[in-house]
mmCIF file with all atom_site columns, all heavy atoms in Angstrom:
data_model
loop_
_atom_site.group_PDB
_atom_site.id
_atom_site.type_symbol
_atom_site.label_atom_id
_atom_site.label_alt_id
_atom_site.label_comp_id
_atom_site.label_asym_id
_atom_site.label_entity_id
_atom_site.label_seq_id
_atom_site.pdbx_PDB_ins_code
_atom_site.Cartn_x
_atom_site.Cartn_y
_atom_site.Cartn_z
_atom_site.occupancy
_atom_site.B_iso_or_equiv
_atom_site.pdbx_formal_charge
_atom_site.auth_seq_id
_atom_site.auth_comp_id
_atom_site.auth_asym_id
_atom_site.auth_atom_id
_atom_site.pdbx_PDB_model_num
ATOM 1  N N   . GLY W 1 43  ? 1.456  12.918  -15.130 1.00 43.00 ? 43  GLY W N   1
ATOM 2  C CA  . GLY W 1 43  ? 2.840  13.355  -15.354 1.00 43.00 ? 43  GLY W CA  1
ATOM 3  C C   . GLY W 1 43  ? 3.382  12.738  -16.613 1.00 43.00 ? 43  GLY W C   1
ATOM 4  O O   . GLY W 1 43  ? 2.894  11.723  -17.084 1.00 43.00 ? 43  GLY W O   1
ATOM 5  N N   . ARG W 1 105 ? 13.831 -31.773 26.158  1.00 64.00 ? 105 ARG W N   1
ATOM 6  C CA  . ARG W 1 105 ? 14.550 -31.960 27.430  1.00 64.00 ? 105 ARG W CA  1
ATOM 7  C C   . ARG W 1 105 ? 14.043 -33.122 28.226  1.00 64.00 ? 105 ARG W C   1
ATOM 8  O O   . ARG W 1 105 ? 14.796 -33.966 28.808  1.00 64.00 ? 105 ARG W O   1
ATOM 9  C CB  . ARG W 1 105 ? 14.538 -30.679 28.238  1.00 64.00 ? 105 ARG W CB  1
ATOM 10 C CG  . ARG W 1 105 ? 15.376 -30.700 29.480  1.00 64.00 ? 105 ARG W CG  1
ATOM 11 C CD  . ARG W 1 105 ? 15.586 -29.272 30.051  1.00 64.00 ? 105 ARG W CD  1
ATOM 12 N NE  . ARG W 1 105 ? 14.362 -28.629 30.370  1.00 64.00 ? 105 ARG W NE  1
ATOM 13 C CZ  . ARG W 1 105 ? 13.827 -27.571 29.702  1.00 64.00 ? 105 ARG W CZ  1
ATOM 14 N NH1 . ARG W 1 105 ? 14.515 -27.107 28.696  1.00 64.00 ? 105 ARG W NH1 1
ATOM 15 N NH2 . ARG W 1 105 ? 12.710 -27.046 30.070  1.00 64.00 ? 105 ARG W NH2 1
ATOM 16 N N   . TYR W 1 197 ? 32.557 -36.921 44.445  1.00 86.00 ? 197 TYR W N   1
ATOM 17 C CA  . TYR W 1 197 ? 31.289 -36.658 45.121  1.00 86.00 ? 197 TYR W CA  1
ATOM 18 C C   . TYR W 1 197 ? 30.950 -37.687 46.213  1.00 86.00 ? 197 TYR W C   1
ATOM 19 O O   . TYR W 1 197 ? 30.378 -37.273 47.267  1.00 86.00 ? 197 TYR W O   1
ATOM 20 C CB  . TYR W 1 197 ? 30.139 -36.597 44.074  1.00 86.00 ? 197 TYR W CB  1
ATOM 21 C CG  . TYR W 1 197 ? 30.414 -35.732 42.926  1.00 86.00 ? 197 TYR W CG  1
ATOM 22 C CD1 . TYR W 1 197 ? 30.442 -36.161 41.629  1.00 86.00 ? 197 TYR W CD1 1
ATOM 23 C CD2 . TYR W 1 197 ? 30.700 -34.365 43.120  1.00 86.00 ? 197 TYR W CD2 1
ATOM 24 C CE1 . TYR W 1 197 ? 30.739 -35.327 40.562  1.00 86.00 ? 197 TYR W CE1 1
ATOM 25 C CE2 . TYR W 1 197 ? 31.018 -33.504 42.073  1.00 86.00 ? 197 TYR W CE2 1
ATOM 26 C CZ  . TYR W 1 197 ? 30.987 -34.037 40.781  1.00 86.00 ? 197 TYR W CZ  1
ATOM 27 O OH  . TYR W 1 197 ? 31.336 -33.187 39.726  1.00 86.00 ? 197 TYR W OH  1
ATOM 28 N N   . LYS W 1 229 ? 47.832 -40.851 49.956  1.00 91.00 ? 229 LYS W N   1
ATOM 29 C CA  . LYS W 1 229 ? 48.354 -40.052 48.856  1.00 91.00 ? 229 LYS W CA  1
ATOM 30 C C   . LYS W 1 229 ? 47.361 -39.706 47.787  1.00 91.00 ? 229 LYS W C   1
ATOM 31 O O   . LYS W 1 229 ? 47.631 -38.991 46.864  1.00 91.00 ? 229 LYS W O   1
ATOM 32 C CB  . LYS W 1 229 ? 49.558 -40.776 48.193  1.00 91.00 ? 229 LYS W CB  1
ATOM 33 C CG  . LYS W 1 229 ? 50.646 -41.161 49.157  1.00 91.00 ? 229 LYS W CG  1
ATOM 34 C CD  . LYS W 1 229 ? 51.675 -42.012 48.419  1.00 91.00 ? 229 LYS W CD  1
ATOM 35 C CE  . LYS W 1 229 ? 52.719 -42.638 49.418  1.00 91.00 ? 229 LYS W CE  1
ATOM 36 N NZ  . LYS W 1 229 ? 53.680 -43.535 48.739  1.00 91.00 ? 229 LYS W NZ  1
ATOM 37 N N   . GLY W 1 312 ? 53.355 -40.494 61.976  1.00 95.00 ? 312 GLY W N   1
ATOM 38 C CA  . GLY W 1 312 ? 54.430 -41.202 61.340  1.00 95.00 ? 312 GLY W CA  1
ATOM 39 C C   . GLY W 1 312 ? 55.769 -40.484 61.399  1.00 95.00 ? 312 GLY W C   1
ATOM 40 O O   . GLY W 1 312 ? 56.818 -41.073 61.633  1.00 95.00 ? 312 GLY W O   1
ATOM 41 N N   . CYS W 1 376 ? 52.376 -18.458 68.089  1.00 96.00 ? 376 CYS W N   1
ATOM 42 C CA  . CYS W 1 376 ? 52.394 -18.193 69.505  1.00 96.00 ? 376 CYS W CA  1
ATOM 43 C C   . CYS W 1 376 ? 51.060 -18.506 70.146  1.00 96.00 ? 376 CYS W C   1
ATOM 44 O O   . CYS W 1 376 ? 50.994 -18.904 71.329  1.00 96.00 ? 376 CYS W O   1
ATOM 45 C CB  . CYS W 1 376 ? 52.732 -16.697 69.776  1.00 96.00 ? 376 CYS W CB  1
ATOM 46 S SG  . CYS W 1 376 ? 54.432 -16.330 69.416  1.00 96.00 ? 376 CYS W SG  1
ATOM 47 N N   . LYS W 1 377 ? 49.951 -18.397 69.408  1.00 96.00 ? 377 LYS W N   1
ATOM 48 C CA  . LYS W 1 377 ? 48.607 -18.599 69.935  1.00 96.00 ? 377 LYS W CA  1
ATOM 49 C C   . LYS W 1 377 ? 48.158 -20.019 69.753  1.00 96.00 ? 377 LYS W C   1
ATOM 50 O O   . LYS W 1 377 ? 47.040 -20.373 70.209  1.00 96.00 ? 377 LYS W O   1
ATOM 51 C CB  . LYS W 1 377 ? 47.610 -17.667 69.292  1.00 96.00 ? 377 LYS W CB  1
ATOM 52 C CG  . LYS W 1 377 ? 47.878 -16.182 69.559  1.00 96.00 ? 377 LYS W CG  1
ATOM 53 C CD  . LYS W 1 377 ? 46.815 -15.330 68.875  1.00 96.00 ? 377 LYS W CD  1
ATOM 54 C CE  . LYS W 1 377 ? 46.983 -13.863 69.176  1.00 96.00 ? 377 LYS W CE  1
ATOM 55 N NZ  . LYS W 1 377 ? 45.981 -13.089 68.536  1.00 96.00 ? 377 LYS W NZ  1
ATOM 56 N N   . LYS W 1 408 ? 55.362 -6.622  67.530  1.00 95.00 ? 408 LYS W N   1
ATOM 57 C CA  . LYS W 1 408 ? 54.327 -5.958  66.741  1.00 95.00 ? 408 LYS W CA  1
ATOM 58 C C   . LYS W 1 408 ? 52.963 -6.234  67.283  1.00 95.00 ? 408 LYS W C   1
ATOM 59 O O   . LYS W 1 408 ? 52.046 -5.364  67.179  1.00 95.00 ? 408 LYS W O   1
ATOM 60 C CB  . LYS W 1 408 ? 54.408 -6.394  65.260  1.00 95.00 ? 408 LYS W CB  1
ATOM 61 C CG  . LYS W 1 408 ? 55.624 -5.881  64.532  1.00 95.00 ? 408 LYS W CG  1
ATOM 62 C CD  . LYS W 1 408 ? 55.637 -6.432  63.103  1.00 95.00 ? 408 LYS W CD  1
ATOM 63 C CE  . LYS W 1 408 ? 56.884 -5.964  62.314  1.00 95.00 ? 408 LYS W CE  1
ATOM 64 N NZ  . LYS W 1 408 ? 56.973 -6.510  60.963  1.00 95.00 ? 408 LYS W NZ  1
ATOM 65 N N   . LYS W 1 455 ? 76.135 -24.426 70.704  1.00 91.00 ? 455 LYS W N   1
ATOM 66 C CA  . LYS W 1 455 ? 77.421 -24.113 71.316  1.00 91.00 ? 455 LYS W CA  1
ATOM 67 C C   . LYS W 1 455 ? 77.267 -23.049 72.399  1.00 91.00 ? 455 LYS W C   1
ATOM 68 O O   . LYS W 1 455 ? 78.044 -23.082 73.387  1.00 91.00 ? 455 LYS W O   1
ATOM 69 C CB  . LYS W 1 455 ? 78.425 -23.631 70.307  1.00 91.00 ? 455 LYS W CB  1
ATOM 70 C CG  . LYS W 1 455 ? 78.787 -24.709 69.220  1.00 91.00 ? 455 LYS W CG  1
ATOM 71 C CD  . LYS W 1 455 ? 79.750 -24.123 68.196  1.00 91.00 ? 455 LYS W CD  1
ATOM 72 C CE  . LYS W 1 455 ? 80.079 -25.166 67.140  1.00 91.00 ? 455 LYS W CE  1
ATOM 73 N NZ  . LYS W 1 455 ? 80.995 -24.690 66.106  1.00 91.00 ? 455 LYS W NZ  1
ATOM 74 N N   . GLU W 1 597 ? 55.852 3.609   108.805 1.00 89.00 ? 597 GLU W N   1
ATOM 75 C CA  . GLU W 1 597 ? 54.924 4.617   108.272 1.00 89.00 ? 597 GLU W CA  1
ATOM 76 C C   . GLU W 1 597 ? 53.537 4.117   108.129 1.00 89.00 ? 597 GLU W C   1
ATOM 77 O O   . GLU W 1 597 ? 52.544 4.799   108.430 1.00 89.00 ? 597 GLU W O   1
ATOM 78 C CB  . GLU W 1 597 ? 55.454 5.102   106.922 1.00 89.00 ? 597 GLU W CB  1
ATOM 79 C CG  . GLU W 1 597 ? 54.625 6.190   106.218 1.00 89.00 ? 597 GLU W CG  1
ATOM 80 C CD  . GLU W 1 597 ? 54.685 7.487   106.986 1.00 89.00 ? 597 GLU W CD  1
ATOM 81 O OE1 . GLU W 1 597 ? 55.607 7.689   107.805 1.00 89.00 ? 597 GLU W OE1 1
ATOM 82 O OE2 . GLU W 1 597 ? 53.799 8.293   106.840 1.00 89.00 ? 597 GLU W OE2 1
#
Side-chain angles (χ1 to χ4, degrees):
R105 186 165 58 250
Y197 308 121
K229 303 174 189 177
C376 289
K377 295 180 179 181
K408 291 178 182 178
K455 297 180 180 180
E597 181 67 21

